[in-house]
Amino acid sequence: MHNPLLQLEGVTKRFGGVTAVENITLNVFIRELRCVIGPNGAGKSTLFRLITGMYPPTGGEIFYNGYNITSLSTFERARHGISMKFQTPMVYYDRTVGQNVLISLQRHYDLEKAGKMAVNFMKNFGLAGMAGRLAGEVAHGYRQWLEICMAVATNPELLLLDEPTAGMSAEETARTAELIHRLNDLGMTILVIDHDMEFVRLLNCDLTVLHLGKFFAQGKLSEIQAHAGVRDIYLGKR
Amino acid sequence: MFAWLEKHFNGPQTLGESRFFWASFLAGCLFLLCLPLFADEYEVGNYTYFLLHAFLALGLSLIWGQGNILSFGQMVFFGIGGYSYGVFSVNLLKITQNTFFSLAMAILFASCCAGLLGYFLFYGGVSGVYVTIITMVSTMILETFMAQTAGPQWTVGLMPLGGYNGMTNIPPLQLNLGGEFPYEFRDARLYYLVAALAIAAYLGLRKLANSRYGNALVAVGSNPLRSEMLGYDIRMIQFAAFTIAGALAAASGGLYAAWGNYINPSVMGLTTAAMPVVWVAFGGRRCLLGCVVSALSLQYFSQCLSADGSQYALVIQGGVLMLMIMFIPEGVTPPLGRLLGRLASGIFRSGAGRRLPIERLENNGA
């Protein structure tokens, strides 16, 4: 738990005159489960896009497993073991659920093996019986699980989940939290963005709070809940 | 036979996988085989002309139908294939004693050109409609360039490029088997050669489309960002598809030059550049065989119309394209295939189906 898997050092991202992320320094340790919270516009999604290489940073450096990955492209970072679920489900809408999972698995395995593994993956992610349905036609919650399933199918070391429970019912949210704990127990390092405090409580992990693109606070759930500043900006005074 | 075809050529990315489909396919092949027996020399030549465009349609179907990249410039590679076949065959015939080597060299050269353009397009981050515009402009540029190559200074080895009058005296496909005269591929011989190559290209592309690469190409076409996040090098995948499509277009071009012993810059003009797009849109871009059938039938149709003035043929084909995009954007063959499949399902035992084994397993278990 003491080796940082991901290190962000003074990472900044500006879009013209707008600073979306400013001088963020963050260490994520191996096998850690951490949640990044903050109000809208705090720079959470931008932070994920910086980690995955979709945006080049304006300043600062990103290290992964001790290597500087700042100049690597998205697919190279993915091949190094970074995987992500996007805020809006990014699946292959015009393909079946089975093909979606297979496409994720076949980068590592031949088609026959990937096909067999896909069946197990779908069962584990609550997608059993849906293999033949188009991804664009299944309910939103299942699409979220499908995308998590696809992200996990690449066998990542670091899994980034951007609002994995958006649009889910309370029961689905609880199942998702359980799933994330299970993946974390299997050894995956997981970074989650979410707005839903109920879900964050279920995850019961360390929190990093961003506000207006800057690092604001960090600590255990209870500490953050007791943090007067965080309550002001995000949780609301109670 | 059916089991063999189904085992090797069925998969999630190609349409038409039932026993009925394969039976129709074999019947179609038999029809192609018998066609010269009932046609005169002129008609066989015509059918060869239609068939040699199948490669062009297959290539466009691969990049547009599977990879979602609309290239309007396939005729560039057709033209390069044709012209370079002319240059290679005239210059190398004495040395190699056959022109098949020249055809292979022409395809290789055009593939390199396609690779070069593809490299700048995809590694330069060009996507969507800009690929279409750049490929369209490239076909216009090459047409304009070739049109001004009339002078004697534009001679490559023994072969003058010929400017707008075109390149003449291109040798037919031939093998020298040691006799007094070379074994030339003309008329029915050329017809059978082209038909066999077209069938092989179709089956080969089906195999490719259902391979890991084919799945990845479809994935990149469907959602590039998701594919990149799964670790796919989308630039490499698109570059490869573009090069393969270029090679297929060049095969059409080389065979065209060998068939007519002639090629001129108008093959790269805007009107001709639009034709493959019309065929593939009409046939259904996701359906490889549909694109071939559509290319053959639209050319036949166009030739029939041309008897009454070629401008009408073009206007009608343009109208067909507009109607297709408005009313049947997926093309004619997918809905037609589904209809015929339903009608025939009582006669033929259903084949493996187009779904993945996992999908069948899951559905049966559910």
Side-chain angles (χ1 to χ4, degrees):
Chain A
M1 182 97 182
H2 299 293
N3 300 325
L5 179 67
L6 179 75
Q7 290 170 279
L8 275 70
E9 288 191 359
V11 172
T12 298
K13 180 66 190 175
R14 286 192 200 94
F15 297 100
V18 181
T19 306
V21 166
E22 193 176 345
N23 196 23
I24 297 260
T25 296
L26 178 74
N27 284 334
V28 180
F29 293 92
I30 290 171
R31 289 174 170 256
E32 190 177 351
L33 171 61
R34 179 183 290 272
C35 205
V36 180
I37 63 169
N40 277 333
K44 306 180 300 290
S45 290
T46 307
L47 187 74
F48 270 23
R49 286 174 177 252
L50 287 165
I51 297 170
T52 53
M54 280 169 228
Y55 294 151
T58 316
E61 286 181 321
I62 302 170
F63 294 88
Y64 182 75
N65 262 334
Y67 294 101
N68 190 336
I69 59 162
T70 319
S71 59
L72 292 189
S73 61
T74 302
F75 85 90
E76 286 168 322
R77 294 184 200 201
R79 287 182 183 183
H80 278 92
I82 300 178
S83 194
M84 174 169 168
K85 181 226 159 288
F86 293 81
Q87 190 172 353
T88 326
M90 274 262 200
V91 295
Y92 303 113
Y93 285 78
D94 55 349
R95 301 284 136 180
T96 62
V97 171
Q99 284 178 41
N100 269 274
V101 180
L102 187 85
I103 286 168
S104 317
L105 282 165
Q106 66 150 28
R107 231 186 53 66
H108 296 281
Y109 307 99
D110 65 63
L111 280 178
E112 201 174 323
K113 180 147 194 230
K116 283 180 188 150
M117 289 175 73
V119 178
N120 285 330
F121 263 90
M122 283 186 286
K123 269 186 200 142
N124 287 328
F125 283 82
L127 298 165
M130 292 197 173
R133 289 176 61 189
L134 284 182
E137 288 172 359
V138 299
H140 181 76
Y142 288 114
R143 220 177 288 155
Q144 296 270 44
W145 281 334
L146 171 61
E147 204 191 358
I148 299 174
C149 175
M150 290 166 74
V152 172
T154 61
N155 199 16
E157 272 178 291
L158 175 64
L159 181 63
L160 308 173
L161 301 172
D162 194 346
E163 301 203 12
T165 61
M168 282 190 181
S169 67
E171 191 206 332
E172 288 170 336
T173 301
R175 281 181 66 187
T176 308
E178 197 185 304
L179 180 72
I180 291 172
H181 278 298
R182 220 162 66 210
L183 291 171
N184 186 229
D185 291 342
L186 288 171
M188 224 170 265
T189 309
I190 304 174
L191 208 52
V192 184
I193 291 178
D194 216 294
H195 272 299
D196 179 2
M197 282 316 289
E198 204 46 54
F199 176 61
V200 174
R201 277 186 200 104
L202 287 173
L203 288 182
N204 190 24
C205 59
D206 284 0
L207 301 183
T208 296
V209 186
L210 300 185
H211 183 46
L212 298 174
K214 292 180 195 154
F215 175 83
F216 192 79
Q218 185 159 307
K220 299 220 171 299
L221 178 64
S222 52
E223 293 164 11
I224 295 295
Q225 278 178 317
H227 194 295
V230 175
R231 281 163 63 177
D232 283 353
I233 62 148
Y234 184 64
L235 300 173
K237 289 181 183 174
R238 276 188 273 185
Chain B
M1 182 72 175
F2 284 120
W4 182 81
L5 285 169
E6 282 172 1
K7 179 166 177 252
H8 290 279
F9 300 105
N10 276 5
Q13 311 305 358
T14 44
L15 302 178
E17 310 244 314
S18 60
R19 282 280 155 96
F20 170 65
F21 170 82
W22 285 114
S24 314
F25 173 75
L26 291 175
C29 292
L30 196 67
F31 174 73
L32 284 182
L33 193 70
C34 298
L35 200 57
L37 304 177
F38 305 103
D40 62 34
E41 211 169 85
Y42 169 76
E43 283 171 334
V44 170
N46 245 349
Y47 298 145
T48 313
Y49 171 80
F50 299 155
L51 262 177
L52 63 85
H53 288 90
F55 306 95
L56 194 58
L58 283 171
L60 188 60
S61 175
L62 178 76
I63 46 168
W64 190 21
Q66 314 286 330
N68 214 8
I69 305 160
L70 171 55
S71 164
F72 213 94
Q74 290 309 95
M75 292 313 276
V76 172
F77 310 118
F78 181 96
I80 295 174
Y83 271 101
S84 44
Y85 171 76
V87 169
F88 282 123
S89 58
V90 164
N91 288 298
L92 298 178
L93 185 57
K94 284 257 160 50
I95 305 165
T96 58
Q97 298 292 319
N98 72 70
T99 51
F100 283 90
F101 179 74
S102 304
L103 182 64
M105 289 298 288
I107 294 172
L108 185 68
F109 178 68
S111 309
C112 292
C113 295
L116 192 68
L117 182 61
Y119 174 79
F120 285 115
L121 283 175
F122 301 113
Y123 282 81
V126 179
S127 62
V129 72
Y130 296 101
V131 174
T132 312
I133 293 169
I134 291 172
T135 49
M136 186 169 87
V137 169
S138 65
T139 194
M140 291 161 73
I141 291 173
L142 197 64
E143 185 204 13
T144 313
F145 175 79
M146 290 314 293
Q148 55 84 50
T149 57
Q153 73 274 28
W154 294 103
T155 301
V156 185
L158 304 167
M159 192 58 154
L161 295 181
Y164 214 88
N165 291 330
M167 187 184 267
T168 50
N169 296 324
I170 300 174
L173 279 175
Q174 54 184 275
L175 284 173
N176 198 331
L177 300 170
E180 193 177 343
F181 298 105
Y183 186 86
E184 285 189 359
F185 285 81
R186 287 184 187 279
D187 307 324
R189 281 180 199 164
L190 185 62
Y191 171 87
Y192 282 121
L193 178 74
V194 172
L197 287 175
I199 291 167
Y202 168 68
L203 291 176
L205 275 194
R206 260 190 93 108
K207 189 95 182 151
L208 181 75
N210 289 320
S211 68
R212 282 162 79 181
Y213 171 77
N215 287 338
L217 179 64
V218 163
V220 170
S222 172
N223 191 335
L225 193 55
R226 169 38 74 207
S227 307
E228 220 175 343
M229 206 55 249
L230 291 175
Y232 288 109
D233 184 353
I234 60 170
R235 300 166 305 177
M236 182 65 205
I237 290 166
Q238 291 179 321
F239 162 79
F242 192 77
T243 309
I244 294 168
L248 285 163
S252 279
L255 289 167
Y256 170 79
W259 168 83
N261 313 116
Y262 173 72
I263 188 165
N264 74 15
S266 71
V267 298
M268 293 173 281
L270 264 191
T271 316
T272 34
M275 285 304 136
V277 179
V278 176
W279 302 334
V280 171
F282 184 79
R285 60 196 175 107
R286 286 214 49 225
C287 181
L288 291 166
L289 189 62
C291 293
V292 174
V293 173
S294 152
L296 302 183
S297 43
L298 284 183
Q299 286 181 94
Y300 180 76
F301 177 63
S302 165
Q303 209 172 60
C304 294
L305 281 172
S306 295
D308 302 320
S310 67
Q311 296 310 314
Y312 283 114
L314 291 174
V315 169
I316 291 171
Q317 288 207 37
V320 164
L321 180 66
M322 280 171 63
L323 289 174
M324 287 303 307
I325 288 168
M326 284 167 70
F327 297 109
I328 324 178
E330 64 172 330
V332 167
T333 38
L336 192 69
R338 283 196 291 272
L339 180 71
L340 288 176
R342 266 202 299 278
L343 292 177
S345 59
I347 309 168
F348 289 86
R349 193 169 64 80
S350 165
R354 64 177 285 263
R355 291 167 314 178
L356 297 169
I358 39 165
E359 292 165 358
R360 288 196 299 278
L361 194 136
E362 283 283 311
N363 285 356
N364 293 341

